[in-house]
Amino acid sequence: MRAVAISQPGPADVLQIAERPVPAFKAGELLIKVHAAGINRPDVLQRLGKYAPPAGASDLPGLEVAGEVVDGDFTGTAFRKGDLVCALVQGGGYAEYCAAPAGQCLPLPKGLTALEGASLPENFFTVWSNVFDRCALADGETLLVQGGTSGIGVAAIQLAAALGHRVFATAGSDEKARACEALGAERGINYRTEDFVAVVKELTDGKGVDVILDMVGGDYLPREIACLADDGRIGLIAVQGGTRAELDLGALLRRRLTVTGSTLRPRSVAFKAAIAHHLRTTVWPLIEAGKIKPVIYQTFPLEKANEAHALMEASTHVGKIMLQVA
């Protein structure tokens, strides 16, 4: 099969088309003929040599795919050959075939193309795990999404808004802030020209937000503490702004605040399968009803994965960058 391999750590041009054996599926796995794959920030970090795949995972980049089930271990599953699915994987998505644990596969939502379906798993698994499981966003609570036009941000805004929450989001331009509002955010905040702490405080009558989804870290954390409501929670999923921060621990104590973080890729199949169950029962009906829509910014053929990575690093996109494989 054709696949995109990382020839050595480095810039986008180190991504090269290679010939690889079709992966052998293991017990509990399905073999998928990949029609499309999503580009995600961890793929870029892996290419740079800063995010190694977990032990036993494919060295090929790619954390989400959609396509046709062509073989597999169907024991205890509802899947069969010929089914169209999307799946979260630990790696190997930039290829014509990919093996995925059956528990991390979901049926392609009705009405969606494979390209649209491939844009869903990484973002919605991550958002559900952090916003709704770890940070327990509850009825009547508010959410601030940092990086609202990223793939994660687009998913978080749409899902929280569809479930009836007030959502605010930051973005790097007025145009992107308006894009966040079009997705369901009550207010998009241009972090280059506005103080998100002051804006959030004003919009919540001084209370602050209940949950913040943060992919920045660094010096954002003390500012986020300042705009959290009492009993508020911060879910940290990336550290684009740095790995170190200075916090007022007294504020955490007095106001009963929580700062938590997670990475999804190394978690067990059972853990991810539990998230898949929630997505199937709660999120997939919203997608099929048109209340949540995939947002695809640009699509590249497999052999131009390097151009897709360059676009990701430029951070000019709104929504997902995708690879069309078949």
Side-chain angles (χ1 to χ4, degrees):
M1 68 174 185
R2 293 188 314 146
V4 174
I6 301 170
S7 59
Q8 62 185 41
D13 286 345
V14 304
L15 295 176
Q16 298 180 359
I17 290 289
E19 293 289 325
R20 289 288 186 93
V22 173
F25 63 87
K26 302 172 186 174
E29 291 185 340
L30 306 180
L31 181 62
I32 300 168
K33 182 178 181 180
V34 178
H35 293 178
I39 304 286
N40 290 283
R41 191 72 60 174
D43 304 341
V44 173
L45 294 175
Q46 180 177 334
R47 191 203 76 222
L48 292 169
K50 297 179 179 180
Y51 189 31
S58 171
D59 66 312
L60 300 174
L63 301 177
E64 59 186 348
V65 299
E68 179 186 352
V69 176
V70 294
D71 208 344
D73 176 9
F74 300 104
T75 306
T77 81
F79 295 112
R80 295 294 179 266
K81 287 183 182 180
D83 286 350
L84 294 177
V85 299
C86 53
L88 181 74
V89 294
Q90 284 191 317
Y94 294 11
E96 292 179 319
Y97 292 87
C98 183
Q104 295 170 207
C105 295
L106 288 155
L108 192 68
K110 294 178 180 134
L112 262 58
T113 65
L115 183 68
E116 292 170 324
S119 75
L120 302 175
E122 172 69 11
N123 294 330
F124 281 93
F125 273 78
T126 299
V127 169
W128 188 273
S129 178
N130 288 277
V131 174
F132 294 95
D133 284 344
R134 296 188 70 81
C135 289
L137 184 67
D139 290 347
E141 291 191 325
T142 52
L143 172 69
L144 171 63
V145 179
Q146 304 285 22
T149 55
S150 66
I152 292 283
V154 166
I157 291 169
Q158 289 198 86
L159 179 52
L163 293 174
H165 298 277
R166 294 180 71 196
V167 184
F168 314 112
T170 62
S173 70
D174 288 344
E175 182 182 11
K176 285 189 172 185
R178 302 295 80 78
C180 291
E181 292 167 359
L183 290 166
E186 180 178 320
R187 175 74 148 80
I189 305 164
N190 182 348
Y191 63 79
R192 298 185 193 278
T193 59
E194 299 180 280
D195 177 1
F196 72 80
V197 178
V199 174
V200 165
K201 284 284 197 176
E202 180 182 358
L203 292 169
T204 58
D205 297 323
K207 175 187 174 184
V209 290
D210 299 293
V211 172
I212 299 174
L213 181 63
D214 180 19
M215 56 194 80
V216 181
D219 63 7
Y220 264 46
L221 272 173
R223 297 168 65 195
E224 289 169 341
I225 294 295
C227 70
L228 270 183
D230 290 351
D231 296 300
R233 292 87 70 197
I234 296 172
L236 183 66
I237 59 170
V239 287
Q240 294 177 30
T243 60
R244 297 186 179 277
E246 184 173 326
L247 300 181
D248 178 359
L249 298 180
L252 268 70
L253 294 172
R254 292 189 304 272
R255 300 174 51 217
R256 305 173 302 280
L257 306 180
T258 299
V259 178
T260 183
S262 72
T263 56
L264 185 59
R265 193 177 187 183
R267 299 302 295 266
S268 69
V269 172
F271 180 87
K272 295 172 188 173
I275 300 172
H277 172 74
H278 288 297
L279 297 181
R280 182 71 184 90
T281 56
T282 302
V283 181
W284 257 225
L286 295 172
I287 294 172
E288 292 176 347
K291 295 180 180 179
I292 294 173
K293 296 181 180 180
V295 178
I296 295 176
Y297 182 75
Q298 193 167 341
T299 302
F300 296 83
L302 188 66
E303 60 270 18
K304 292 189 176 179
N306 60 325
E307 294 182 18
H309 271 228
L311 178 59
M312 169 71 74
E313 290 176 288
S315 293
T316 56
H317 59 289
V318 175
K320 293 290 292 189
I321 301 168
M322 305 295 297
L323 293 178
Q324 187 78 56
V325 181

